Amino acid sequence: MASHGIKDRVAIIGMGCTPFGEHWDKDVDDLIVDASMDAFTSAGVTKDDVDAYWIGTATSGSSGMTLARPLQIQGKPVTRVENFCATGSEALRAAAYAVASGAYDMAMAVGAEKLKDGGYQGIASPKPAGDGTARTLTAAAMYSMIVPAYAKKYGLDEDQVMDVLATIATKNHANGAVNPRAQFKKAVTKETVLSAPRLAGRLGVFDCAGVADGAAAAIVVRAEDALRYTDKPLYIKAFAVSTGTGSGLIDPDYDYTHFPECEAAANDAYAQAGITDPRHQLAMAEVHDCFTPTEMVLMEDLGFAERGTAWKEELSGTFDRDGELPVNPDGGLKSFGHPVGASGLRMVFECWLQLRKEATPERQITTDRTLALTHNLGGYPGEMVSLVSILGSELG
Amino acid sequence: MRGIVTAAGYVPYRRLRRSAVPELLGSGGGKGARSVASHDEDTTTMGLEAARLALGSVPAAAPSALWFSTPTPAYADKTNATAIHAALQLPAEVAAFDLGGGLRSGLGALSTALSGTGSTLVVLADQRDGLPGGPDESFGGDAAACFLVGEDGPGAPVIAEMTGSASATDEFTDRWRTPGERRSKVWEERFGETRYLPLGRDAWNRALKAAAVEAGAVDRVVVTSMHGRAAKAVATKLGVGEGAVVDDFSATVGQAGAAHPGLVLASVLEQAQPGQTIALVHLADGADVIVLRTTEAIGTWRAVRPVAAQVANGGELPYGKFLSWRGMLNPEPPRRPEPLRVQSPPAWRAEDWKFAFVGSKDRSTGAIHLPPSRVSMQGGAVDDMEPIGLAGTPGTIATFTVDRIAYSPSPPIVFAVVDFDGGGRYPVELTDVDVDTLKIGDRVEMTFRRLYSADGIHDYFWKARPVRAHDG
């Protein structure tokens, strides 16, 4: 029993991604059609060429009909998947595994979410109350508990941690500012970040990801068929999922300074892809910066920085777009926006652009490396799912 | 011998300083302060807290009935006593009844239990409202009391027996409120005063005669009434010795209606010596008098948290917050969806967890699961756990945060990760908390609260509250 992965057996041959943001004039069907048509055009195929479909959405639809109806997919297998904020990546994983198994020649993954119709700030989806004992805290509050915990563990004061978080917000906003698809195309200063009203704990509005509408899509085929469709396919090197048991919440040993689910998913993915030194082998990474402290902790969980040093690396620019390992060069959840079911595929879309050197020149990263990582987490510290993907522009 | 086996009062943490009322309204208020139930408390939760304190003094006690009396119930039709019954994990054979209605019903429940049979847990609670600036708002109070009444027994001896009692009943309209209203109305005070004086004197004389005791031999007298003038007037006419009439907490708690005689009596018992005579006079639509004599056993009985300590241990509540908690002011809520109503079958399935904070403990690894789990988070044992109740276990704050955007009936939510003494961790909302002084490492205890209400269903569950220096 082992996690073998599907390294170099499947390739992405076409992608699409809508701008993320407040699409008051589009419903989820429109977003799905826009992203899907861009992906068909990108791959040079039509919907009839695709043998099977997966649609990832957390709250914007149920069943495969969420995709089959707007695209009018006739007589094909279409399945909806959901796994919190890893939903979009799960759709791609399902499509890629289906092709790797030999079941289909061509599969498509679409992720879509329509959040801005809810009428509330933040992500608000009322759930049945059940026995009435589940906590009602916001995600911002749960992640805010990292700040004092991280400060205490590594001998910082909380103001120092807040300065690091403002650096992360500033970096990701600067990246989003030059990305035409980003929700917030505006750079912000650290002073603006630090003086924003506090929402939860010490986290202010600039510490939180943008709530957005959007969709993204990818088409996959067997690796050996990829060059029939594009001369620059993206090869899938690894998919790894780690689903927590939720016991971190009630485990007295959990200290709110790391996410074991993310570390486990990363280690599995690195093993599948044959990566031994991610910081020096990866060209870039798109990580799930739902809140600024999340990105800080992830730099350690994903092996980009030693434990207790991510804060220094963020301050010194290691993860800037022109740094040693660019993290969230497209702006991340922070400024690109976070339509839950679409985010995983949006991250892959950024890898697609950057590894194919197709980002606009002002934001194209310069590197000889050919591997990129995407990471999602869904849930809260102590109870989350995590998914890590590794993609490469070359075989082997 | 039959009598009171244990007693306790419960005074909520918050206080409204009466002088804060004219600071806003320009008039009203007065001297001193009143107690204020938190936005997450009601008569059921306060009654439970009193019951936990009372039973904490006599772990061997096993009530055979639970009577809950309040004029301000959380539910009509649905019995409120059953939530208290569930939170105390009393066996199903123990009956739980609401003895509801008027300001007289609390003392009626106690006196009926004292002259009845079996081991009865009598719980009294009240929450007094009034319109802004009015006397009821300032001089009412919120509190609960609990008495276990039964026969003398091993591990649970009688600490005070009833030696006499009397009632004087009359029909007249002095104070009234229609069901569902929060505001009471009163007739011109002098009329009530002239009614209560003869009724009080009549009941007092007959009770003393029944107890075969002279007024001068009564060591302590408690006189309570929502009619403050009548209570004062009756107290001066009892013929008891100087200093026998005890402080009725008017200045520090306010008059907590039907619960108030119980609250003051519990406090008197906490300070009483063996062989003392204690009389209780309550004026509401008549007069009721109970005469008690303390036994030797009261010398070894100890209150878990004396009323006097609770009275001394209040935290001031801004008047604006008070008004919003009482529904007199409607501040802008967070722009978040309101929670849906609690579902009855899941709440019933989770009864011990929801009402009594009972988790499960893995028999092999000792890992504690909150809520209870069938499969262990350590070692993988299945269906090999024992229940573990942590409602009475204090804990320490491992970390905490303040959520300013989550829905709450009184934002913001203060939330902490609590490590319980002896094992177990649970992330839980804090209450009765002054967030500016909160620190990692602070000590907390569990308290039963009403989280919110939707579709008229109250969501009862547990929160944690700081353990304060006076709490003992």
Side-chain angles (χ1 to χ4, degrees):
Chain A
M1 307 291 274
S3 172
H4 301 295
I6 58 165
K7 183 183 178 185
D8 287 340
R9 288 162 60 185
V10 175
I12 300 171
I13 55 161
M15 288 202 75
C17 182
T18 69
F20 283 10
E22 294 168 332
H23 288 290
W24 305 120
D25 57 344
K26 289 177 192 255
D27 60 25
V28 71
D29 288 5
D30 293 320
L31 297 167
I32 285 171
V33 171
D34 288 351
S36 301
M37 290 307 154
D38 284 352
F40 291 135
T41 302
S42 165
V45 302
T46 70
K47 67 179 181 183
D48 298 328
D49 298 319
V50 178
D51 302 305
Y53 294 82
W54 278 264
I55 169 76
T57 187
T59 61
S60 302
S62 294
S63 93
M65 289 183 67
T66 305
L67 182 65
R69 186 189 301 106
L71 288 186
Q72 286 297 298
I73 299 164
Q74 314 270 350
K76 298 275 178 77
V78 188
T79 304
R80 178 217 171 186
V81 295
E82 186 280 323
N83 209 4
F84 280 177
C85 298
T87 294
S89 295
E90 284 286 15
L92 180 60
R93 178 166 165 263
Y97 280 10
V99 168
S101 75
Y104 303 108
D105 295 328
M106 186 181 293
M108 183 166 178
V110 181
E113 208 75 53
K114 182 75 191 167
L115 294 176
K116 294 301 297 187
D117 286 356
Y120 294 103
Q121 294 176 338
I123 296 173
S125 45
K127 298 176 192 69
D131 69 11
T133 68
R135 66 171 194 279
T136 54
L137 220 58
T138 60
M142 288 299 291
Y143 283 92
S144 75
M145 291 197 279
I146 294 168
V147 175
Y150 191 92
K152 185 176 169 217
K153 183 166 182 177
Y154 297 117
L156 307 174
D157 67 42
E158 290 187 23
D159 288 341
Q160 278 179 288
V161 175
M162 293 313 295
D163 185 60
V164 173
L165 302 187
T167 303
I168 292 170
T170 305
K171 165 180 75 78
N172 291 347
H173 267 274
N175 290 344
V178 292
N179 190 338
R181 286 182 172 85
Q183 180 176 21
F184 302 118
K185 292 184 273 288
K186 190 178 174 188
V188 295
T189 64
K190 276 167 80 165
E191 291 68 34
T192 303
V193 173
L194 288 168
S195 61
R198 289 182 186 180
L199 299 179
R202 295 201 60 177
L203 301 186
V205 69
F206 286 102
D207 292 299
C208 305
V211 174
D213 306 325
I219 297 169
V220 292
V221 299
R222 283 185 294 275
E224 61 263 34
D225 297 337
L227 294 175
R228 287 161 50 190
Y229 301 95
T230 175
D231 55 0
K232 290 191 286 184
L234 226 53
Y235 298 101
I236 288 168
K237 304 291 182 179
F239 283 121
V241 177
S242 175
T243 305
T245 64
S247 61
L249 284 179
I250 57 168
D251 177 359
D253 292 331
Y254 181 60
D255 68 0
Y256 288 81
T257 66
H258 66 114
F259 308 134
E261 298 91 338
C262 297
E263 190 173 9
N267 289 341
D268 183 6
Y270 293 149
Q272 291 178 34
I275 289 176
T276 52
D277 181 4
R279 175 159 164 169
H280 297 105
Q281 288 176 269
L282 293 171
M284 58 162 286
E286 285 288 323
V287 309
H288 203 91
D289 58 328
C290 49
F291 301 94
T292 50
T294 320
E295 179 173 316
M296 177 177 70
V297 165
L298 284 171
M299 296 303 95
E300 299 173 10
D301 287 331
L302 299 175
F304 301 167
E306 296 293 320
R307 289 278 170 212
T309 67
W311 65 278
K312 283 186 229 171
E313 303 280 4
E314 291 279 8
L315 287 176
S316 65
T318 303
F319 308 119
D320 289 358
R321 197 169 68 242
D322 59 357
E324 187 183 333
L325 172 56
V327 170
N328 294 332
D330 67 355
L333 303 171
K334 175 78 267 294
S335 75
F336 200 103
H338 182 30
V340 177
S343 282
L345 281 158
R346 179 272 297 168
M347 294 173 169
V348 174
F349 182 73
E350 177 67 2
C351 302
W352 170 262
L353 293 180
Q354 292 287 3
L355 293 184
R356 289 158 55 100
K357 313 291 182 194
E358 289 177 351
T360 52
E362 58 184 328
R363 59 178 220 90
Q364 175 66 50
I365 59 173
T366 50
T367 176
D368 299 330
R369 301 176 192 170
T370 62
L371 294 170
L373 174 147
T374 73
H375 161 271
N376 296 112
L377 61 81
Y380 308 95
E383 49 166 4
M384 62 171 61
V385 302
S386 182
L387 190 155
V388 172
S389 313
I390 295 170
L391 308 151
S393 54
E394 292 175 8
L395 287 168
Chain B
M1 178 173 54
R2 183 171 182 80
I4 293 170
V5 172
T6 185
Y10 173 75
V11 181
Y13 173 64
R14 291 295 174 188
R15 299 288 181 275
L16 175 66
R17 180 173 47 84
R18 292 178 179 127
S19 58
V21 176
E23 285 166 12
L24 181 71
L25 297 181
S27 62
K31 291 179 183 167
R34 68 160 288 171
S35 64
V36 183
S38 178
H39 66 89
D40 54 11
E41 292 184 289
D42 60 20
T43 46
T44 300
T45 67
M46 290 193 293
L48 172 69
E49 292 300 336
R52 293 173 73 206
L53 292 172
L55 291 174
S57 297
V58 282
S64 56
L66 165 62
W67 296 354
F68 176 58
S69 181
T70 180
T72 51
Y75 285 115
D77 286 2
K78 174 170 165 47
T79 299
N80 296 283
T82 50
I84 298 173
H85 182 282
L88 294 173
Q89 286 194 285
L90 295 176
E93 309 87 81
V94 175
F97 300 123
D98 284 5
L99 306 184
L103 291 165
R104 201 177 183 185
S105 59
L107 190 71
L110 177 59
S111 117
T112 305
L114 281 165
S115 55
T117 58
S119 174
T120 306
L121 194 66
V122 180
V123 182
L124 322 177
D126 207 348
Q127 188 170 355
R128 304 309 307 173
D129 280 315
L131 291 180
D136 276 6
E137 178 196 60
S138 280
F139 296 97
D142 303 333
C146 176
F147 301 87
L148 181 64
V149 174
E151 306 298 326
D152 208 31
V158 164
I159 59 170
E161 60 174 328
M162 185 167 76
T163 53
S165 69
S167 288
T169 299
D170 197 5
E171 163 58 28
F172 60 100
T173 302
D174 166 53
R175 167 180 287 272
W176 70 98
R177 180 169 59 90
T178 49
E181 287 286 314
R182 300 192 70 165
R183 172 207 180 186
S184 305
K185 297 179 182 177
V186 291
W187 203 261
E188 191 243 325
E189 275 191 318
R190 277 289 297 153
F191 173 62
E193 188 179 350
T194 58
R195 297 317 314 127
Y196 282 124
L197 261 173
L199 290 162
R201 194 181 297 127
D202 174 33
W204 174 251
N205 290 336
R206 284 191 282 112
L208 290 189
K209 193 173 172 190
V213 62
E214 298 295 325
V218 175
D219 298 288
R220 293 280 181 273
V221 187
V222 176
V223 185
T224 54
S225 177
M226 289 303 290
H227 198 308
R229 282 175 64 129
K232 279 196 183 67
V234 167
T236 59
K237 301 267 191 304
L238 296 176
V240 294
E242 199 171 331
V245 178
V246 302
D247 171 20
D248 68 351
F249 301 133
S250 281
T252 48
V253 176
Q255 287 286 327
H260 207 67
L263 179 74
V264 185
L265 175 60
S267 179
V268 170
L269 289 171
E270 283 161 4
Q271 297 163 49
Q273 307 298 317
Q276 285 189 315
T277 297
I278 297 167
L280 182 57
V281 181
H282 187 57
L283 307 173
D285 304 312
D288 298 286
V289 179
I290 293 175
V291 183
L292 300 160
R293 186 153 183 86
T294 57
T295 67
E296 285 299 319
I298 202 165
T300 51
W301 172 76
R302 287 289 171 271
V304 172
R305 185 166 295 169
V307 172
Q310 299 178 58
V311 168
N313 194 11
E316 187 169 339
L317 182 71
Y319 185 44
K321 205 80 171 168
F322 171 84
L323 289 174
S324 74
W325 284 5
R326 308 309 270 229
M328 298 292 171
L329 194 69
N330 289 310
E332 175 87 13
R335 292 183 184 173
R336 300 288 293 180
E338 295 194 6
L340 301 172
R341 69 179 182 187
V342 170
Q343 294 168 294
S344 190
W348 172 75
R349 288 194 294 269
E351 183 175 317
D352 282 352
W353 162 242
K354 179 180 177 65
F355 288 90
F357 202 60
V358 176
S360 64
K361 182 174 182 178
D362 183 329
R363 287 195 176 92
S364 46
T365 69
I368 294 171
H369 298 71
L370 302 166
S373 174
R374 292 183 60 191
V375 181
S376 180
M377 64 176 168
Q378 290 173 11
V382 181
D383 290 334
D384 191 20
M385 298 216 193
E386 58 199 32
I388 177 168
L390 290 172
T393 306
T396 302
I397 293 178
T399 187
F400 70 95
T401 190
V402 180
D403 194 335
R404 296 174 185 83
I405 43 177
Y407 170 81
S408 165
S410 183
I413 286 179
V414 184
F415 191 86
V417 176
V418 172
D419 287 329
F420 291 95
D421 294 4
R425 165 180 282 196
Y426 191 64
V428 68
E429 189 175 341
L430 299 186
T431 190
D432 295 349
V433 63
D434 300 302
V435 72
D436 294 340
T437 56
L438 195 66
K439 305 183 303 299
I440 287 174
D442 279 0
R443 300 282 289 160
V444 295
E445 62 187 5
M446 299 307 286
T447 178
F448 187 68
R449 298 297 167 115
R450 183 162 114 183
L451 271 52
Y452 68 93
S453 300
D455 195 24
I457 297 180
H458 307 309
D459 183 24
Y460 291 112
F461 189 50
W462 295 79
K463 294 185 182 180
R465 62 177 231 154
V467 177
R468 296 184 168 86
H470 292 293
D471 286 340

